[in-house]
Amino acid sequence: MYLADSRNSTTSSTAAPGSTRPGRRPAVPGTVLALGAVSLITDVSAEMITAVLPLYVVTALGLSPLGFGLLDGINNGVGALVRLAGGHLADGGGRRHKVVAGIGYGLSAVCKPLLLLARGLPAISAVLAADRAGKGLRTAPRDAMISLATRPEHRGRAFGVHRAMDTAGALLGPLVAFAVLRVAVDGYDAVFTVSACVAALGVLVLVLFVPSRPGTATPATATGTGTGTASTPPAPRPTLRDSLALLRRPALRRLTLCAALLGLTTVSDAFLYLLLQRRLGVPAGLFPLLPLGTSAAFLLLAVPLGALADRIGRRRLFLAGHAALLPAYALVLSPLRGPATVVTVLALHGAFYAATDGVLAAATAGAVPAAHLGAGQALVGTGQALARFVCSLAFGAAWSFWDGRAALAVAAVALAAAALVAARLLRTTDTPDTGRTDRDDPHNTPQGAPR
Amino acid sequence: MNRRTRLAVLLFAVVLLATVGTAAVLRAADRSAVRDRQQADGPPVRTGDVTLRPSGARQLLVRNLAWGPHRDEIAAVPAGQPDAPRTASGVKCLRFHAAAGTGICLQAERGALTDTYRAVVLDSRLRVRHSFPAPGIPTRSRVSPSGHLVAWTVFVSGDSYAGTAFSTRTAIADTRTWALDDNLEQYAVTKDGRPYHASDINIWGVTFADDTRFYATLATGGRTYLVRGDRTTRTLTTLHTNVECPSLSPDGTRIAYKKRVPGASPDAPWRLYVLDLATMEETATAEHRNIDDQALWSGNGTLVYAMPGDYGSDLWTVPADGSGTARHLMTSAVAPAYTG
């Protein structure tokens, strides 16, 4: 984890590079690191459960877990609503981001010990649904807090640091869980208890070390007149109508539209791994390792690509990240085989996440006023998530209608088309990405492109 | 709260939570140690030679679940005396089946970081002939009547993004050439007379007719089907709906299986049925409890299957023609197989 000093920017920065005047915060502020730590700890706890749940269901409860996937569709719909609600509620007067996020983290933490009591698949599914609701509730306020705590020109990197920490937790979780099972054979209750303790620690770090009022950095307003002061007065509570009116902002509307459009053509992870295995002949024994490859690439690339987004523009990198999927799809469709091909596909897939996940949040932060950050993040994120869900359904149907290969070819063509449309939409930059210090598309922004 | 106070609170909480977590782990470790000690009222178990050779007296082989040093080992009892002292082989398996002197044993391997699984082919003295890596949690295994083929099914859970989606992987291996079909989903599927593709196909529970033909469950679109498989043409053809974990009778005329019955609780949806392959007529057995096992035929008239019990699971029997009642056969045992 490195915290680079702000680069020698040529824009109207208020202080000389390297200056440590009070009021200048480092590129990645403490609040972001604290939120990253909360995500890391929470993900350790969550992935502990994900890793052992199938084992627990099969060996301890003696059940067949195949009926598990049935709730996913319902969860997706409910998750979207909860996410929107979380974003909207969190915007209430600037103090509530932390409260709503805390409720979300708390709800997920309470679910862990409840697993000790859940004895059948319906009960376990209900607990998992509540866990997901907690996740939906906290996502938007968390991203809003990261946006508020960071100076606009460093948001890409800050989100990159957060996502890297988050992914590190996801990779550590299974290791902790299996370490517990190593000490205590069949000790699933011990895994759930340890997971609950870890989750509680995550909530505590949030309560203790994340300020409820992050000193806001220059918020990008619709008119692009950042004030440069270190904090904003508490805004009046936004109504639901205010939150929905966000979509009247051309910049946010385009971003939401593009995220959804690209989401509609992004093949879900599960399908990609399935195709990788079948088309490239990955031995069945190595199948469980495929997601780890994606996560490792995501972890390694999140910070550098976030920093790159700060330099060349978030929307541009967001597009480039989707473009990186095209060679990945092409490789899966190609006659190429062998480990090198598989590793390349996974690396591109991880790069796609690193170039889009936190980067989209950073781009969103530049397109909404500070008072509506929660709702803005929720709108864009939900649009993307719902579009991806629709894509999953369509992809599954296409697979049945033709076969997996044809479905992927169609998805690749659609992705290329969506990327072209998105590139056109995002090129018209009527609002700069992040207020006045941003250098979005420094060289070849079409000057005064008429809308 | 100043910084120092916050750090103090954090430190206190870390100590407290670490204590709770450690206590839970130690308690669970203690409990698993208890299982390694002989149960006072448990069935007697002693070490000895176990053979899969179908010679002389017919034996019943099981994974022994009785607490003690031989827990999880494959053990043998005379087929007619299931309560007799068990002879433990020293070979531990999660799932097991045997026929014609060949055994298939699905084992967990303690890796450095996580458990991995393997499917091990055993000779008649239970020695390892060959081992294949398995990509998930073992759930079903079968040997063909000739002993030439083995099949196994494991559960594979996806990734953190897929969350709760599970799938199965079923493989068939030839014990003469070690040729391996590591995923039957690659076979061409004919559903209701037409070629069928889908991304959500899952296959599990192979039962062999001979060295070419087998039956299994295929799931897609939220329904399950009985399929007939052919290893030479690499095809799967649907025959009937709502059939899980099929088990072919020795005479090849009937299939015992788990059927999802309407109106049952979602926690316990399956009942044990028998399907006549000639007429496709379904017969409910006298076992009225929920079943989650691939039943085993003991001759052409009786089914043996596992039910949850005090020490994991017990074995029960019921007539295959729907008559009689379910009877308790053996405590603390699972994954049965008959020799001879």
Side-chain angles (χ1 to χ4, degrees):
Chain A
M1 185 70 56
Y2 72 101
L3 303 180
D5 192 41
S6 67
R7 60 175 200 288
N8 192 349
S9 109
T10 53
T11 52
S12 54
S13 177
T14 48
S19 140
T20 50
R21 231 173 48 187
R24 258 188 77 78
R25 271 163 298 124
V28 179
T31 301
V32 174
L33 293 181
L35 283 166
V38 173
S39 288
L40 189 152
I41 295 166
T42 302
D43 255 33
V44 167
S45 156
E47 292 302 317
M48 281 179 76
I49 303 292
T50 308
V52 303
L53 202 63
L55 260 174
Y56 172 68
V57 168
V58 176
T59 59
L61 301 182
L63 302 168
S64 300
L66 276 168
F68 245 174
L70 300 176
L71 284 160
D72 275 5
I74 301 160
N75 274 346
N76 269 304
V78 173
L81 286 175
V82 169
R83 194 165 172 172
L84 288 171
H88 173 70
L89 289 172
D91 283 335
R95 258 196 97 81
R96 299 244 295 270
H97 289 121
K98 186 177 165 178
V99 175
V100 175
I103 292 170
Y105 281 110
L107 178 60
S108 290
V110 169
C111 286
K112 307 295 186 285
L114 283 181
L115 278 174
L116 291 166
L117 309 175
R119 277 281 158 213
L121 281 190
I124 292 175
S125 299
V127 173
L128 293 179
D131 195 343
R132 283 202 179 185
K135 193 175 170 66
L137 205 56
R138 68 187 179 238
T139 303
R142 182 200 66 203
D143 284 352
M145 283 192 283
I146 295 172
S147 314
L148 286 170
T150 315
R151 292 220 316 281
E153 65 270 32
H154 292 312
R155 278 183 188 146
R157 180 183 299 162
F159 274 105
V161 167
H162 175 268
R163 297 305 194 256
M165 291 175 85
D166 189 71
T167 310
L171 286 168
L172 282 172
L175 300 184
V176 177
F178 285 112
V180 171
L181 288 183
R182 187 68 69 248
V183 176
V185 180
D186 295 340
Y188 299 101
D189 53 338
V191 174
F192 298 156
T193 308
V194 172
S195 170
C197 291
V198 174
L201 186 66
V203 176
L204 192 72
V205 171
L206 176 84
V207 170
L208 289 177
F209 295 97
V210 175
S212 26
R213 240 183 237 279
T216 35
T218 314
T221 54
T223 50
T225 53
T227 55
T229 50
S231 65
T232 44
R237 273 190 53 187
T239 61
L240 194 57
R241 186 177 301 174
D242 290 341
S243 289
L244 289 174
L246 282 176
L247 281 177
R248 292 216 199 96
R249 299 173 172 278
L252 186 72
R253 198 170 56 221
R254 282 204 206 92
L255 204 56
T256 309
L257 200 63
C258 290
L261 191 65
L262 290 164
L264 275 177
T265 55
T266 309
V267 177
S268 77
D269 298 14
F271 282 131
L272 188 71
Y273 300 140
L274 211 57
L275 280 162
L276 256 181
Q277 195 200 3
R278 294 194 193 175
R279 299 267 322 135
L280 299 182
V282 175
L286 296 179
F287 184 77
L289 299 179
L290 296 178
L292 295 182
T294 297
S295 294
F298 184 12
L299 174 70
L300 291 172
L301 294 171
V303 178
L305 287 182
L308 182 66
D310 288 336
R311 293 174 65 105
I312 68 166
R314 283 104 202 209
R315 288 170 292 198
R316 177 179 287 192
L317 195 71
F318 182 70
L319 280 173
H322 283 86
L325 281 178
L326 287 172
Y329 292 175
L331 278 174
V332 176
L333 292 169
S334 79
L336 287 171
R337 292 275 186 281
T341 313
V342 176
V343 169
T344 309
V345 170
L346 293 177
L348 286 166
H349 194 224
F352 153 73
Y353 275 111
T356 56
D357 197 71
V359 171
L360 178 64
T364 307
V368 281
H372 293 288
L373 266 172
Q377 293 286 6
L379 270 176
V380 177
T382 306
Q384 185 185 46
L386 284 180
R388 282 184 178 172
F389 178 58
V390 170
C391 175
S392 278
L393 297 179
F395 194 86
W399 188 314
S400 305
F401 198 71
W402 301 300
D403 61 36
R405 186 161 181 251
L408 184 65
V410 170
V413 171
L415 175 62
L420 286 175
V421 173
R424 279 206 63 90
L425 275 172
L426 292 178
R427 270 171 61 165
T428 42
T429 51
D430 56 334
T431 22
D433 221 354
T434 56
R436 66 205 165 92
T437 49
D438 185 61
R439 305 193 311 160
D440 196 41
D441 301 355
H443 304 301
N444 50 2
T445 310
Q447 291 302 317
R451 290 201 12 247
Chain B
M1 248 199 289
N2 65 18
R3 193 182 182 85
R4 179 174 297 192
T5 319
R6 289 202 302 255
L7 283 170
V9 171
L10 181 71
L11 190 69
F12 174 75
V14 167
V15 170
L16 184 74
L17 292 168
T19 310
V20 172
T22 309
V25 174
L26 290 178
R27 228 189 76 219
D30 236 24
R31 204 182 44 220
S32 61
V34 166
R35 289 181 188 165
D36 292 338
R37 290 198 289 274
Q38 188 78 38
Q39 219 171 286
D41 55 346
V45 186
R46 55 186 184 217
T47 49
D49 275 344
V50 174
T51 171
L52 303 181
R53 212 166 293 121
S55 60
R58 192 165 180 248
Q59 300 183 93
L60 173 58
L61 298 165
V62 296
R63 169 185 163 197
N64 169 48
L65 295 176
W67 287 7
H70 302 295
R71 190 165 189 258
D72 295 333
E73 288 178 17
I74 299 305
V77 290
Q81 301 162 270
D83 292 332
R86 300 175 187 187
T87 308
S89 65
V91 179
K92 291 197 175 195
C93 303
L94 295 166
R95 282 277 160 183
F96 173 81
H97 188 248
T102 299
I104 177 75
C105 166
L106 304 183
Q107 295 178 323
E109 277 191 295
R110 293 252 177 263
L113 297 175
T114 65
D115 281 5
T116 54
Y117 301 95
R118 55 182 194 164
V120 180
V121 178
L122 303 172
D123 69 8
S124 62
R125 305 292 311 280
L126 293 160
R127 288 173 306 212
V128 176
R129 285 183 62 200
H130 199 90
S131 129
F132 297 94
I137 305 152
T139 162
R140 303 283 176 245
S141 61
R142 277 294 185 265
V143 179
S144 69
S146 66
H148 293 155
L149 301 177
V150 292
W152 62 89
T153 298
V154 297
F155 281 119
V156 181
S157 61
D159 52 274
S160 58
Y161 298 98
T164 51
F166 289 87
S167 62
T168 58
R169 288 275 184 283
T170 296
I172 293 181
D174 190 322
T175 64
R176 295 160 297 184
T177 61
W178 303 124
L180 171 71
D181 267 334
D182 77 353
N183 187 357
L184 291 191
E185 286 162 33
Q186 287 155 347
Y187 280 28
V189 177
T190 304
K191 180 167 151 297
D192 306 328
R194 282 191 299 277
Y196 179 80
H197 304 279
S199 59
D200 68 345
I201 287 180
N202 279 302
I203 293 153
W204 66 90
V206 165
T207 180
F208 288 101
D210 52 39
D211 288 350
T212 308
R213 290 180 315 121
F214 61 89
Y215 296 88
T217 293
L218 180 147
T220 180
R223 305 182 66 172
T224 60
Y225 301 84
L226 174 68
V227 288
R228 187 174 55 229
D230 187 310
R231 285 186 62 244
T232 44
T233 57
R234 296 175 65 81
T235 53
L236 297 166
T237 311
T238 60
L239 303 175
H240 199 67
T241 56
N242 196 356
V243 173
E244 294 180 58
C245 299
S247 174
L248 187 67
S249 60
D251 61 14
T253 60
R254 285 155 300 153
I255 281 195
Y257 66 102
K258 282 161 48 180
K259 178 180 176 178
R260 259 176 207 276
V261 292
S265 104
D267 267 341
W270 296 293
R271 298 295 179 272
L272 183 59
Y273 272 71
V274 173
L275 178 74
D276 186 310
L277 284 170
T279 63
M280 288 294 159
E281 194 180 329
E282 301 175 358
T283 307
T285 64
E287 172 57 80
H288 301 301
R289 292 170 296 175
N290 180 60
I291 177 164
D292 193 356
D293 193 14
Q294 184 172 21
L296 178 83
W297 291 79
S298 161
N300 282 310
T302 313
L303 299 170
V304 180
Y305 51 93
M307 280 276 163
D310 293 342
Y311 297 101
S313 74
D314 295 350
L315 293 180
W316 291 70
T317 67
V318 75
D321 62 4
S323 66
T325 52
R327 288 176 189 282
H328 186 272
L329 178 76
M330 197 172 174
T331 53
S332 317
V334 72
Y338 285 98
T339 63

